[in-house]
Amino acid sequence: MLPQEIIRRKREGNELGEAEIAFMVRGLTDGSVTEGQVAAFAMAVFFRGMTLAERVALTRAMRDSGTVLRWDLPGPALDKHSSGGVGDNVSLMLAPMVAACGGYVPMISGRGLGHTGGTLDKLDSIPGYRTQPENDLFAAVVRSVGCAVIGQTADLAPADKRFYAIRDVTATVESIDLITASILSKKLAAGLGGLVLDVKCGNGAFMADFAAARGLAESLVSVSNGAGLPTRALVTDMNEPLAPAAGNAVEVAHAVDFLTGGHARPENRRIEAVTVELGAEMLVIGGLAPDLDAGRAAQREALASGRAAEIFGRMVAALGGPADFVERAGTHLGAAPHAVPILPVRAGRVAGIDTRSLGVAVIELGGGRTRASDPIDHAVGLTALAGLGAAVGPDAPLCLVHARSPGAAAAVAERIRGAYMLAEPGAPTPPPASPLLDRVDG
């Protein structure tokens, strides 16, 4: 086979065979296909698209480019994937909640991308926590604790790493076909028995349009099921931060608070709904609950009993973190020296939020990257974020900015004020909308 002929066939709109796709992925892995050829292939796919059979073949080939984990566990190996948002620390709570109900969660997560936070960056704020353990330790923690949240190792779907790096600089990242293969190749390589996807939609998501988010969810579900992994998806709202905190250490602190009773507070209504619903879906797909109502009840009991918090603490300790992290999170997490309230320009109710802008503010504080090599300040971020419908004014700030200096806080203050659209104080407040927009079954 010749790479240029495969590229030409896709450029002309032909359907590629499984062998042709496997040939291109092998070339991605061993370097025999040049960067220019990979870029041309990606652009041909971007404009011509792929059939379901092609997407399944691409996903499987990328999965098989490295190690495929095999699990021998007393219960199902389950995971979830989120397309990214602001204040989305669901993974930190969800993994131990599902483990508390009999599931095993080998969760392979990523770092921040664009304005969205990354689970690994959050976990790196825990002293000693190993986000890149050896496979033997990873497996041992999953078996003994029930969950382990780590990063992608070098031998899992290595073709995806090279392909993504080339797509990132050739304006082909947005292809749903290539996004689908990129996400699912890593999940398939993790050896899962079931997967639930959280596809975000709104001004804080990569896909602001509902139809586009629904299309991505349908592609992911159809390809994953076609590749042999039972999968469901939720489409959820990201027109405001999911949690009232955005950053790294501040989101870990929020997760500990959530697991130890904070889930019942009004400001956690949205994130509690999404986390419980994802967990219920995971329990049903893993055969651990007969239906979603039973799954929701089991997830809430895992929180109320303290079992999920206990498992989170055991996971942190098993992966090198402090043994008393849940009990003394505040003493272990780094704190920024300045917490500055950001007051609104006038009193009123929050009528709209530019959620992406809040994520950018975290990056400007040093809590994210503008280049892949940039270090992260894990202590900075935003807390007490006002949600839609909240009353704000001289005694009710938009948020607290955690910064290294008063000047750093002042530098993001106008961005934060500009991110909030206010209605008059007496304006009627619409009832809170559910963050659960749609469901896509396999």
Side-chain angles (χ1 to χ4, degrees):
M1 295 184 189
L2 295 174
Q4 58 266 40
E5 284 301 298
I6 296 171
I7 295 164
R8 181 191 62 78
R9 280 177 34 75
K10 177 46 62 182
R11 184 197 69 194
E12 298 301 319
N14 294 302
E15 180 174 354
L16 299 179
E18 187 172 346
E20 291 174 299
I21 290 171
F23 173 84
M24 291 298 290
V25 172
R26 279 196 301 273
L28 266 169
T29 309
D30 64 21
S32 59
V33 175
T34 69
E35 288 197 3
Q37 289 169 326
V38 175
F41 177 72
M43 193 63 75
V45 171
F46 185 91
F47 283 113
R48 289 296 192 174
M50 282 185 148
T51 65
L52 175 60
E54 286 178 299
R55 280 178 278 156
V56 170
L58 179 61
T59 302
R60 282 177 168 163
M62 288 170 64
R63 172 199 66 188
D64 295 337
S65 66
T67 299
V68 178
L69 300 178
R70 309 286 183 208
W71 296 100
D72 180 17
L73 298 165
L78 306 169
D79 197 2
K80 79 94 179 164
H81 174 83
S82 169
S83 62
V86 178
D88 179 5
N89 59 348
V90 166
S91 294
L92 303 180
M93 295 89 80
L94 181 63
M97 286 167 62
V98 171
C101 297
Y104 289 82
V105 187
M107 187 176 284
I108 298 174
S109 299
R111 301 204 176 274
L113 183 64
H115 67 280
T116 67
T119 299
L120 294 191
D121 297 325
K122 296 164 194 175
L123 289 170
D124 278 342
S125 66
I126 301 175
Y129 190 99
R130 297 175 63 185
T131 54
Q132 301 283 348
E134 301 82 4
N135 282 346
D136 287 348
L137 176 59
F138 178 40
V141 174
V142 171
R143 174 174 284 278
S144 63
V145 176
C147 62
V149 185
I150 69 161
Q152 181 183 0
T153 59
D155 54 352
L156 280 179
D160 175 62
K161 291 184 178 181
R162 185 174 181 227
F163 203 5
Y164 186 86
I166 294 170
R167 288 167 54 215
D168 193 32
V169 296
T170 57
T172 54
V173 169
E174 295 87 350
S175 164
I176 284 184
D177 302 302
L178 300 181
I179 291 171
T180 298
S182 177
I183 291 171
L184 294 179
S185 60
K186 297 186 284 288
K187 295 301 181 183
L188 289 167
L192 303 174
L195 175 65
V196 176
L197 301 158
D198 180 6
V199 180
K200 302 292 186 187
C201 171
N203 62 38
F206 286 110
M207 292 197 166
D209 179 68
F210 173 79
R214 168 83 195 195
L216 175 59
E218 290 174 344
S219 175
L220 288 163
V221 169
S222 60
V223 171
S224 191
N225 281 286
L229 175 58
T231 300
R232 298 178 179 185
L234 299 178
V235 181
T236 65
D237 176 74
M238 187 42 69
N239 282 307
E240 61 178 303
L242 190 56
N248 294 296
V250 295
E251 287 191 47
V252 174
H254 171 268
V256 173
D257 178 70
F258 182 98
L259 290 168
T260 54
H263 59 89
R265 286 200 288 272
E267 64 266 27
N268 287 321
R269 174 189 57 83
R270 283 166 50 79
I271 195 162
E272 193 264 355
V274 171
T275 306
V276 166
E277 197 70 13
L278 288 166
E281 293 278 7
M282 290 170 71
L283 296 183
V284 170
I285 209 167
L288 297 171
D291 54 43
L292 288 174
D293 283 341
R296 294 181 192 111
Q299 288 290 269
R300 293 194 171 103
E301 173 58 24
L303 285 170
S305 67
R307 176 70 175 147
E310 176 205 346
I311 289 175
F312 181 80
R314 289 173 55 205
M315 178 188 77
V316 169
L319 287 167
D324 62 349
F325 184 73
V326 169
E327 296 77 14
R328 302 179 64 229
T331 65
H332 292 298
L333 291 169
H338 298 274
V340 181
I342 305 300
L343 299 177
V345 293
R346 60 177 176 83
R349 287 195 175 271
V350 177
I353 303 173
D354 181 352
T355 311
R356 183 183 185 279
S357 196
L358 295 178
V360 172
V362 174
I363 296 172
E364 291 177 337
L365 287 166
R369 301 176 183 85
T370 56
R371 296 185 300 262
S373 59
D374 285 348
I376 278 183
D377 186 340
H378 294 98
V380 301
L382 313 176
T383 61
L385 285 158
L388 290 174
V392 295
D395 300 317
L398 300 170
C399 69
L400 287 177
V401 171
H402 299 258
R404 284 291 160 192
S405 68
V412 299
E414 287 312 306
R415 176 180 290 282
I416 292 168
R417 290 190 184 100
Y420 279 89
M421 289 132 273
L422 303 182
E424 294 299 326
T429 304
S434 171
L436 306 169
L437 303 178
D438 206 352
R439 172 179 281 105
V440 178
D441 293 326

